[in-house]
Amino acid sequence: MTILTEIDVPEPVHPSGSAIGIDRGIVHFAGLSDGTFVDAPGWFRRYETKLA
């Protein structure tokens, strides 16, 4: 299911002079365009047996 909306915004909510890209990955949770990698938090593996 996809929902698409459009609204007119008179000014940017958070004006910024820079942008960053985020890529979701398999080895790392996320990779940022500045070369930073974010590891997965591991909540599922930690509570996996309790959830079962």
Side-chain angles (χ1 to χ4, degrees):
M1 179 175 166
T2 302
I3 298 173
L4 175 65
T5 61
E6 291 185 25
I7 59 171
D8 292 326
V9 179
E11 296 181 23
V13 178
H14 300 284
S16 174
S18 63
I20 188 168
I22 301 173
D23 181 31
R24 292 282 314 269
I26 295 173
V27 176
H28 298 283
F29 179 71
L32 308 180
S33 60
D34 64 356
T36 306
F37 291 101
V38 179
D39 289 327
W43 296 318
F44 177 74
R45 295 290 176 215
R46 190 177 313 147
Y47 299 109
E48 181 174 27
T49 55
K50 288 183 180 181
L51 291 171

Short mmCIF file of all heavy atoms in Angstrom, two decimals:
data_model
loop_
_atom_site.label_atom_id
_atom_site.label_comp_id
_atom_site.label_asym_id
_atom_site.label_seq_id
_atom_site.Cartn_x
_atom_site.Cartn_y
_atom_site.Cartn_z
N MET A 1 0.84 -1.16 0.00
CA MET A 1 0.00 0.00 0.00
C MET A 1 0.89 1.23 0.00
O MET A 1 1.85 1.33 0.75
CB MET A 1 -0.88 -0.01 1.24
CG MET A 1 -1.77 1.17 1.33
SD MET A 1 -2.86 0.94 2.76
CE MET A 1 -3.47 2.54 2.91
N THR A 2 0.57 2.18 -0.85
CA THR A 2 1.34 3.41 -0.95
C THR A 2 0.41 4.60 -0.83
O THR A 2 -0.68 4.60 -1.40
CB THR A 2 2.06 3.49 -2.31
OG1 THR A 2 2.89 2.34 -2.44
CG2 THR A 2 2.88 4.73 -2.42
N ILE A 3 0.84 5.58 -0.07
CA ILE A 3 0.06 6.81 0.08
C ILE A 3 0.96 7.96 -0.35
O ILE A 3 2.09 8.10 0.13
CB ILE A 3 -0.39 7.01 1.54
CG1 ILE A 3 -1.29 5.86 1.96
CG2 ILE A 3 -1.09 8.34 1.70
CD1 ILE A 3 -1.64 5.86 3.42
N LEU A 4 0.47 8.79 -1.24
CA LEU A 4 1.22 9.93 -1.73
C LEU A 4 0.42 11.19 -1.43
O LEU A 4 -0.77 11.27 -1.74
CB LEU A 4 1.46 9.81 -3.23
CG LEU A 4 2.14 10.99 -3.91
CD1 LEU A 4 3.56 11.15 -3.39
CD2 LEU A 4 2.12 10.80 -5.40
N THR A 5 1.06 12.17 -0.80
CA THR A 5 0.40 13.44 -0.51
C THR A 5 1.28 14.59 -0.95
O THR A 5 2.50 14.45 -1.04
CB THR A 5 0.10 13.60 1.00
OG1 THR A 5 1.33 13.58 1.71
CG2 THR A 5 -0.79 12.48 1.50
N GLU A 6 0.67 15.72 -1.23
CA GLU A 6 1.40 16.93 -1.58
C GLU A 6 0.80 18.09 -0.81
O GLU A 6 -0.42 18.21 -0.71
CB GLU A 6 1.30 17.21 -3.08
CG GLU A 6 2.03 16.22 -3.94
CD GLU A 6 2.00 16.62 -5.40
OE1 GLU A 6 1.84 17.83 -5.69
OE2 GLU A 6 2.13 15.74 -6.24
N ILE A 7 1.68 18.92 -0.25
CA ILE A 7 1.22 20.12 0.41
C ILE A 7 2.15 21.27 0.04
O ILE A 7 3.32 21.06 -0.29
CB ILE A 7 1.18 19.97 1.95
CG1 ILE A 7 2.56 19.62 2.50
CG2 ILE A 7 0.17 18.93 2.38
CD1 ILE A 7 2.65 19.67 4.00
N ASP A 8 1.63 22.48 0.06
CA ASP A 8 2.46 23.66 -0.19
C ASP A 8 3.06 24.13 1.13
O ASP A 8 2.36 24.31 2.12
CB ASP A 8 1.61 24.79 -0.80
CG ASP A 8 1.14 24.44 -2.20
OD1 ASP A 8 1.90 23.77 -2.92
OD2 ASP A 8 0.02 24.84 -2.57
N VAL A 9 4.37 24.30 1.13
CA VAL A 9 5.07 24.75 2.32
C VAL A 9 5.66 26.12 2.00
O VAL A 9 6.50 26.23 1.10
CB VAL A 9 6.19 23.76 2.72
CG1 VAL A 9 6.92 24.25 3.95
CG2 VAL A 9 5.59 22.38 2.94
N PRO A 10 5.23 27.18 2.72
CA PRO A 10 5.73 28.51 2.39
C PRO A 10 7.23 28.67 2.63
O PRO A 10 7.92 29.31 1.85
CB PRO A 10 4.93 29.44 3.30
CG PRO A 10 4.37 28.57 4.37
CD PRO A 10 4.30 27.17 3.81
N GLU A 11 7.77 28.11 3.70
CA GLU A 11 9.19 28.17 4.01
C GLU A 11 9.65 26.78 4.43
O GLU A 11 8.87 26.03 4.99
CB GLU A 11 9.47 29.10 5.19
CG GLU A 11 9.14 30.53 4.97
CD GLU A 11 9.47 31.36 6.21
OE1 GLU A 11 10.31 30.92 7.03
OE2 GLU A 11 8.88 32.42 6.35
N PRO A 12 10.91 26.46 4.22
CA PRO A 12 11.40 25.18 4.74
C PRO A 12 11.30 25.16 6.27
O PRO A 12 11.56 26.17 6.94
CB PRO A 12 12.86 25.14 4.31
CG PRO A 12 12.97 26.12 3.19
CD PRO A 12 11.92 27.15 3.43
N VAL A 13 10.90 24.04 6.81
CA VAL A 13 10.75 23.91 8.26
C VAL A 13 12.10 24.02 8.94
O VAL A 13 12.27 24.71 9.94
CB VAL A 13 10.06 22.57 8.60
CG1 VAL A 13 9.94 22.41 10.11
CG2 VAL A 13 8.70 22.50 7.94
N HIS A 14 13.10 23.35 8.39
CA HIS A 14 14.46 23.38 8.92
C HIS A 14 15.40 23.74 7.78
O HIS A 14 15.92 22.86 7.10
CB HIS A 14 14.86 22.01 9.50
CG HIS A 14 13.97 21.56 10.61
ND1 HIS A 14 14.05 22.07 11.86
CD2 HIS A 14 12.98 20.66 10.64
CE1 HIS A 14 13.15 21.49 12.64
NE2 HIS A 14 12.49 20.63 11.91
N PRO A 15 15.62 25.02 7.54
CA PRO A 15 16.51 25.38 6.44
C PRO A 15 17.93 24.85 6.68
O PRO A 15 18.45 24.94 7.79
CB PRO A 15 16.48 26.91 6.42
CG PRO A 15 15.97 27.32 7.76
CD PRO A 15 15.15 26.18 8.28
N SER A 16 18.49 24.27 5.66
CA SER A 16 19.82 23.68 5.78
C SER A 16 20.59 23.91 4.49
O SER A 16 20.02 23.88 3.40
CB SER A 16 19.70 22.19 6.05
OG SER A 16 20.96 21.59 6.03
N GLY A 17 21.87 24.10 4.63
CA GLY A 17 22.70 24.29 3.46
C GLY A 17 23.35 23.00 2.99
O GLY A 17 24.06 22.98 2.01
N SER A 18 23.10 21.90 3.71
CA SER A 18 23.72 20.64 3.33
C SER A 18 22.68 19.52 3.31
O SER A 18 21.63 19.63 3.92
CB SER A 18 24.83 20.29 4.32
OG SER A 18 24.29 20.10 5.60
N ALA A 19 23.00 18.47 2.61
CA ALA A 19 22.12 17.31 2.52
C ALA A 19 22.95 16.07 2.79
O ALA A 19 24.17 16.06 2.62
CB ALA A 19 21.48 17.23 1.14
N ILE A 20 22.30 15.00 3.20
CA ILE A 20 22.98 13.74 3.48
C ILE A 20 22.15 12.59 2.91
O ILE A 20 20.92 12.67 2.89
CB ILE A 20 23.22 13.56 5.00
CG1 ILE A 20 24.11 12.35 5.25
CG2 ILE A 20 21.93 13.46 5.76
CD1 ILE A 20 24.63 12.27 6.66
N GLY A 21 22.79 11.57 2.42
CA GLY A 21 22.11 10.40 1.90
C GLY A 21 22.23 9.25 2.89
O GLY A 21 23.24 9.10 3.58
N ILE A 22 21.18 8.44 2.99
CA ILE A 22 21.17 7.29 3.89
C ILE A 22 20.84 6.05 3.07
O ILE A 22 19.87 6.06 2.32
CB ILE A 22 20.14 7.47 5.02
CG1 ILE A 22 20.45 8.73 5.83
CG2 ILE A 22 20.12 6.25 5.92
CD1 ILE A 22 19.40 9.06 6.85
N ASP A 23 21.63 5.00 3.24
CA ASP A 23 21.42 3.75 2.53
C ASP A 23 21.26 2.63 3.55
O ASP A 23 22.14 2.41 4.37
CB ASP A 23 22.61 3.47 1.61
CG ASP A 23 22.43 2.19 0.82
OD1 ASP A 23 21.28 1.84 0.52
OD2 ASP A 23 23.45 1.56 0.51
N ARG A 24 20.12 1.95 3.52
CA ARG A 24 19.92 0.80 4.41
C ARG A 24 20.70 -0.38 3.85
O ARG A 24 20.72 -0.61 2.66
CB ARG A 24 18.42 0.43 4.45
CG ARG A 24 17.53 1.46 5.11
CD ARG A 24 17.61 1.42 6.62
NE ARG A 24 17.53 0.10 7.18
CZ ARG A 24 16.42 -0.52 7.56
NH1 ARG A 24 15.28 0.07 7.44
NH2 ARG A 24 16.47 -1.72 8.09
N GLY A 25 21.33 -1.11 4.74
CA GLY A 25 22.17 -2.20 4.27
C GLY A 25 21.92 -3.50 4.98
O GLY A 25 21.06 -3.61 5.84
N ILE A 26 22.69 -4.52 4.59
CA ILE A 26 22.59 -5.86 5.19
C ILE A 26 23.66 -6.03 6.26
O ILE A 26 23.38 -6.47 7.36
CB ILE A 26 22.73 -6.94 4.10
CG1 ILE A 26 21.56 -6.84 3.13
CG2 ILE A 26 22.80 -8.32 4.72
CD1 ILE A 26 21.68 -7.74 1.94
N VAL A 27 24.89 -5.64 5.96
CA VAL A 27 25.98 -5.78 6.93
C VAL A 27 25.85 -4.74 8.03
O VAL A 27 25.98 -5.04 9.20
CB VAL A 27 27.35 -5.65 6.21
CG1 VAL A 27 28.48 -5.69 7.22
CG2 VAL A 27 27.51 -6.75 5.18
N HIS A 28 25.59 -3.49 7.64
CA HIS A 28 25.38 -2.40 8.59
C HIS A 28 23.92 -1.97 8.49
O HIS A 28 23.30 -2.07 7.44
CB HIS A 28 26.27 -1.21 8.28
CG HIS A 28 27.73 -1.52 8.37
ND1 HIS A 28 28.39 -1.63 9.57
CD2 HIS A 28 28.65 -1.76 7.43
CE1 HIS A 28 29.65 -1.91 9.37
NE2 HIS A 28 29.84 -2.01 8.05
N PHE A 29 23.38 -1.46 9.60
CA PHE A 29 22.00 -0.98 9.61
C PHE A 29 21.81 0.15 8.60
O PHE A 29 20.85 0.18 7.86
CB PHE A 29 21.62 -0.53 11.02
CG PHE A 29 20.23 -0.02 11.14
CD1 PHE A 29 19.15 -0.87 11.04
CD2 PHE A 29 20.00 1.33 11.36
CE1 PHE A 29 17.86 -0.40 11.16
CE2 PHE A 29 18.71 1.81 11.48
CZ PHE A 29 17.64 0.95 11.38
N ALA A 30 22.77 1.08 8.58
CA ALA A 30 22.69 2.20 7.65
C ALA A 30 24.09 2.70 7.33
O ALA A 30 25.00 2.62 8.15
CB ALA A 30 21.86 3.34 8.26
N GLY A 31 24.24 3.23 6.14
CA GLY A 31 25.47 3.87 5.72
C GLY A 31 25.14 5.28 5.28
O GLY A 31 24.21 5.50 4.50
N LEU A 32 25.87 6.25 5.80
CA LEU A 32 25.61 7.65 5.46
C LEU A 32 26.55 8.10 4.37
O LEU A 32 27.62 7.53 4.17
CB LEU A 32 25.79 8.52 6.71
CG LEU A 32 25.01 8.08 7.95
CD1 LEU A 32 25.28 9.04 9.10
CD2 LEU A 32 23.53 7.98 7.67
N SER A 33 26.15 9.14 3.65
CA SER A 33 26.95 9.61 2.52
C SER A 33 28.28 10.22 2.94
O SER A 33 29.16 10.40 2.13
CB SER A 33 26.15 10.62 1.70
OG SER A 33 25.78 11.73 2.49
N ASP A 34 28.45 10.52 4.23
CA ASP A 34 29.74 11.04 4.69
C ASP A 34 30.70 9.92 5.10
O ASP A 34 31.77 10.18 5.62
CB ASP A 34 29.55 12.03 5.84
CG ASP A 34 28.97 11.40 7.09
OD1 ASP A 34 28.61 10.20 7.07
OD2 ASP A 34 28.84 12.11 8.10
N GLY A 35 30.33 8.66 4.87
CA GLY A 35 31.19 7.53 5.16
C GLY A 35 30.96 6.89 6.51
O GLY A 35 31.63 5.92 6.86
N THR A 36 30.01 7.39 7.30
CA THR A 36 29.71 6.85 8.62
C THR A 36 28.79 5.65 8.48
O THR A 36 27.86 5.66 7.68
CB THR A 36 29.01 7.92 9.48
OG1 THR A 36 29.81 9.09 9.50
CG2 THR A 36 28.78 7.42 10.89
N PHE A 37 29.06 4.59 9.25
CA PHE A 37 28.20 3.42 9.27
C PHE A 37 27.55 3.29 10.64
O PHE A 37 28.19 3.53 11.66
CB PHE A 37 28.99 2.15 8.97
CG PHE A 37 29.47 2.08 7.55
CD1 PHE A 37 30.77 2.39 7.22
CD2 PHE A 37 28.60 1.72 6.53
CE1 PHE A 37 31.22 2.34 5.92
CE2 PHE A 37 29.03 1.67 5.22
CZ PHE A 37 30.34 1.98 4.92
N VAL A 38 26.28 2.91 10.66
CA VAL A 38 25.53 2.71 11.90
C VAL A 38 25.20 1.23 11.99
O VAL A 38 24.59 0.68 11.08
CB VAL A 38 24.24 3.55 11.91
CG1 VAL A 38 23.47 3.33 13.18
CG2 VAL A 38 24.56 5.02 11.71
N ASP A 39 25.64 0.58 13.07
CA ASP A 39 25.34 -0.84 13.25
C ASP A 39 23.93 -1.04 13.75
O ASP A 39 23.34 -0.15 14.39
CB ASP A 39 26.33 -1.47 14.22
CG ASP A 39 27.72 -1.60 13.62
OD1 ASP A 39 27.81 -1.81 12.39
OD2 ASP A 39 28.70 -1.48 14.36
N ALA A 40 23.37 -2.21 13.49
CA ALA A 40 22.02 -2.55 13.92
C ALA A 40 21.97 -2.61 15.45
O ALA A 40 22.91 -3.09 16.09
CB ALA A 40 21.60 -3.88 13.33
N PRO A 41 20.88 -2.13 16.06
CA PRO A 41 20.80 -2.13 17.51
C PRO A 41 20.72 -3.53 18.12
O PRO A 41 21.12 -3.71 19.27
CB PRO A 41 19.54 -1.33 17.81
CG PRO A 41 18.81 -1.16 16.54
CD PRO A 41 19.76 -1.47 15.43
N GLY A 42 20.22 -4.53 17.42
CA GLY A 42 20.21 -5.90 17.91
C GLY A 42 19.13 -6.22 18.93
O GLY A 42 19.26 -7.16 19.70
N TRP A 43 18.07 -5.43 18.96
CA TRP A 43 17.00 -5.68 19.93
C TRP A 43 16.33 -7.02 19.70
O TRP A 43 16.00 -7.72 20.65
CB TRP A 43 15.95 -4.58 19.86
CG TRP A 43 16.47 -3.24 20.25
CD1 TRP A 43 17.32 -2.96 21.29
CD2 TRP A 43 16.22 -2.01 19.61
NE1 TRP A 43 17.58 -1.62 21.33
CE2 TRP A 43 16.92 -1.01 20.30
CE3 TRP A 43 15.46 -1.64 18.51
CZ2 TRP A 43 16.87 0.32 19.94
CZ3 TRP A 43 15.42 -0.33 18.17
CH2 TRP A 43 16.12 0.64 18.87
N PHE A 44 16.11 -7.38 18.45
CA PHE A 44 15.41 -8.64 18.18
C PHE A 44 16.20 -9.83 18.71
O PHE A 44 15.66 -10.69 19.39
CB PHE A 44 15.14 -8.81 16.69
CG PHE A 44 14.48 -10.13 16.37
CD1 PHE A 44 13.15 -10.34 16.66
CD2 PHE A 44 15.22 -11.17 15.82
CE1 PHE A 44 12.55 -11.55 16.39
CE2 PHE A 44 14.63 -12.39 15.55
CZ PHE A 44 13.29 -12.57 15.83
N ARG A 45 17.48 -9.89 18.40
CA ARG A 45 18.30 -11.04 18.86
C ARG A 45 18.37 -11.09 20.37
O ARG A 45 18.40 -12.15 20.98
CB ARG A 45 19.71 -10.95 18.29
CG ARG A 45 19.74 -11.08 16.79
CD ARG A 45 19.40 -12.50 16.37
NE ARG A 45 19.36 -12.56 14.91
CZ ARG A 45 18.53 -13.31 14.24
NH1 ARG A 45 17.68 -14.09 14.85
NH2 ARG A 45 18.55 -13.31 12.93
N ARG A 46 18.38 -9.95 21.03
CA ARG A 46 18.48 -9.89 22.48
C ARG A 46 17.21 -10.46 23.15
O ARG A 46 17.29 -11.14 24.16
CB ARG A 46 18.67 -8.45 22.93
CG ARG A 46 19.01 -8.32 24.40
CD ARG A 46 19.29 -6.89 24.81
NE ARG A 46 20.19 -6.23 23.87
CZ ARG A 46 20.11 -4.92 23.58
NH1 ARG A 46 19.22 -4.15 24.13
NH2 ARG A 46 20.96 -4.39 22.73
N TYR A 47 16.04 -10.20 22.56
CA TYR A 47 14.77 -10.63 23.17
C TYR A 47 14.09 -11.74 22.38
O TYR A 47 12.92 -12.05 22.62
CB TYR A 47 13.83 -9.43 23.29
CG TYR A 47 14.40 -8.35 24.17
CD1 TYR A 47 14.84 -7.16 23.63
CD2 TYR A 47 14.51 -8.54 25.54
CE1 TYR A 47 15.38 -6.17 24.44
CE2 TYR A 47 15.04 -7.57 26.35
CZ TYR A 47 15.46 -6.38 25.80
OH TYR A 47 15.98 -5.41 26.61
N GLU A 48 14.81 -12.36 21.47
CA GLU A 48 14.25 -13.39 20.59
C GLU A 48 13.62 -14.54 21.38
O GLU A 48 12.52 -14.98 21.08
CB GLU A 48 15.37 -13.89 19.70
CG GLU A 48 14.99 -14.94 18.72
CD GLU A 48 16.14 -15.27 17.79
OE1 GLU A 48 17.31 -15.09 18.17
OE2 GLU A 48 15.85 -15.71 16.69
N THR A 49 14.28 -15.06 22.40
CA THR A 49 13.74 -16.20 23.15
C THR A 49 12.52 -15.79 23.96
O THR A 49 11.57 -16.56 24.09
CB THR A 49 14.79 -16.79 24.09
OG1 THR A 49 15.30 -15.77 24.93
CG2 THR A 49 15.94 -17.38 23.30
N LYS A 50 12.50 -14.58 24.49
CA LYS A 50 11.32 -14.12 25.24
C LYS A 50 10.12 -13.93 24.32
O LYS A 50 8.98 -14.16 24.71
CB LYS A 50 11.62 -12.81 25.96
CG LYS A 50 12.54 -12.97 27.13
CD LYS A 50 12.74 -11.66 27.85
CE LYS A 50 13.65 -11.81 29.03
NZ LYS A 50 13.82 -10.53 29.75
N LEU A 51 10.36 -13.49 23.09
CA LEU A 51 9.28 -13.30 22.13
C LEU A 51 8.68 -14.62 21.68
O LEU A 51 7.48 -14.70 21.40
CB LEU A 51 9.77 -12.50 20.91
CG LEU A 51 10.11 -11.06 21.16
CD1 LEU A 51 10.80 -10.47 19.93
CD2 LEU A 51 8.87 -10.26 21.48
N ALA A 52 9.50 -15.65 21.63
CA ALA A 52 9.00 -16.96 21.19
C ALA A 52 8.07 -17.52 22.24
O ALA A 52 7.09 -18.11 22.01
CB ALA A 52 10.16 -17.90 20.98
#
